[in-house]
Amino acid sequence: MIEMIEPSTLLILGAVALAAGFIDAVAGGGGMLTVPALLSLGLPPHIALGTNKLAASFASATAAWAYYKKNLFSPRFWIASFIATLIGAITGTLIVNLISSDGLEKTLPLVIFAVAIYTIWHPQPKDEHQTLPAVTPKFKVKQWLQGTSIGFYDGIAGPGTGAFWTVSSMILYRLDMLRACGLAKAMNFTSNITSLLTFIILGQVNFALGLTMGVCLMLGAYIGAHSAIRFGAKFIRPVFVTVVLILAIKLAWQAWF
């Protein structure tokens, strides 16, 4: 598959991955760029999703480490979220393997478009709360519901997972933007690596493409995470939404017309 791809195409993929890594570390949703880019090569949807998990694991690991080093994420505090996300991701990945390629081709543009609309309209909590929430039974329930549902989504589709984590964490736990992003990157890495291992077992990963894009995603994530920590995420939002909508429309046109 990789031998049929021209060097110029690989350069474009690398540039897309670099931008996606940056966007994903800042606001979440880098998969909205990488999944459509892989599908545009003519890869079967299952292979595109599996390959994207390989590449995305580089970015989410890099970003999560950056937030952790800045004391914006505490792994021990979110253990229940880790476990719930792992379970959800495995379940979603196993289910997506049962869905037909034709069905995925027609469904993914809808998912990407829906996430783009959600990104435009979701509420923006103010960065007022700098402390972690109190550990209560209700808090644990929130962790399990959030982790299993978003982990499941990441396993079955993926694009926009980081954005979902960030926004839902600010709403559920009243976290400030940076701590919500730190949590999002760590949980995103958990579901990415879990789904990746499942896709590898199922033989649905193009390693050459995934590793090529992964290096570029990692670089973009490093730059993006440090930019987010320093400047915040609002500056990337208009470009992010515009590009995502264009790609969603392009994919929909290819799949349905």
Side-chain angles (χ1 to χ4, degrees):
M1 204 172 294
I2 187 69
E3 64 272 15
M4 300 174 63
I5 301 175
E6 298 180 357
S8 59
T9 302
L10 283 177
L11 285 175
I12 294 173
L13 281 177
V16 170
L18 184 69
F22 180 87
I23 291 171
D24 199 54
V26 173
M32 289 196 207
L33 299 181
T34 54
V35 172
L38 288 167
L39 288 171
S40 70
L41 296 178
L43 292 177
H46 298 91
I47 301 294
L49 290 173
T51 302
N52 181 66
K53 289 302 177 190
L54 174 57
S57 294
F58 283 81
S60 54
T62 302
W65 180 252
Y67 284 105
Y68 171 73
K69 292 294 287 183
K70 294 292 183 179
N71 296 316
L72 293 169
F73 173 71
S74 174
R76 187 173 298 179
F77 188 83
W78 300 100
I79 289 177
S81 295
F82 276 115
I83 298 172
T85 301
L86 186 147
I87 293 172
I90 291 175
T91 306
T93 306
L94 291 175
I95 288 178
V96 78
N97 188 56
L98 303 176
I99 301 174
S100 69
S101 294
D102 185 62
L104 273 178
E105 286 176 351
K106 289 180 167 57
T107 301
L108 278 178
L110 288 176
V111 173
I112 294 169
F113 187 76
V115 173
I117 296 299
Y118 175 84
T119 305
I120 295 172
W121 293 106
H122 74 69
Q124 295 289 313
K126 297 179 180 179
D127 296 349
E128 296 174 347
H129 299 266
Q130 305 295 324
T131 58
L132 293 172
V135 178
T136 63
K138 186 177 180 180
F139 171 71
K140 292 292 185 181
V141 171
K142 287 180 181 179
Q143 283 186 301
W144 277 97
L145 290 176
Q146 183 192 31
T148 51
S149 58
I150 302 181
F152 178 83
Y153 169 76
D154 198 16
I156 205 167
T161 300
F164 281 143
W165 266 111
T166 300
V167 175
S168 63
S169 296
M170 288 191 292
I171 294 172
L172 289 173
Y173 314 121
R174 302 307 301 168
L175 296 179
D176 63 276
M177 173 68 81
L178 287 179
R179 282 174 175 75
C181 284
L183 174 60
K185 293 304 102 189
M187 295 304 121
N188 211 175
F189 173 70
T190 301
S191 53
N192 278 340
I193 200 70
T194 303
S195 293
L196 172 61
L197 292 174
T198 309
F199 274 118
I200 289 175
I201 292 171
L202 296 171
Q204 295 177 343
V205 177
N206 184 311
F207 285 95
L209 272 179
L211 291 172
T212 299
M213 294 184 71
V215 172
C216 297
L217 274 163
M218 186 167 59
L219 177 59
Y222 178 85
I223 298 171
H226 285 82
S227 298
I229 291 169
R230 183 174 180 182
F231 302 113
K234 290 183 179 179
F235 70 95
I236 202 69
R237 186 179 170 85
V239 176
F240 169 65
V241 171
T242 300
V243 172
V244 165
L245 287 173
I246 291 173
L247 287 171
I249 292 170
K250 177 177 180 290
L251 272 180
W253 183 267
Q254 290 177 334
W256 302 330
F257 301 101

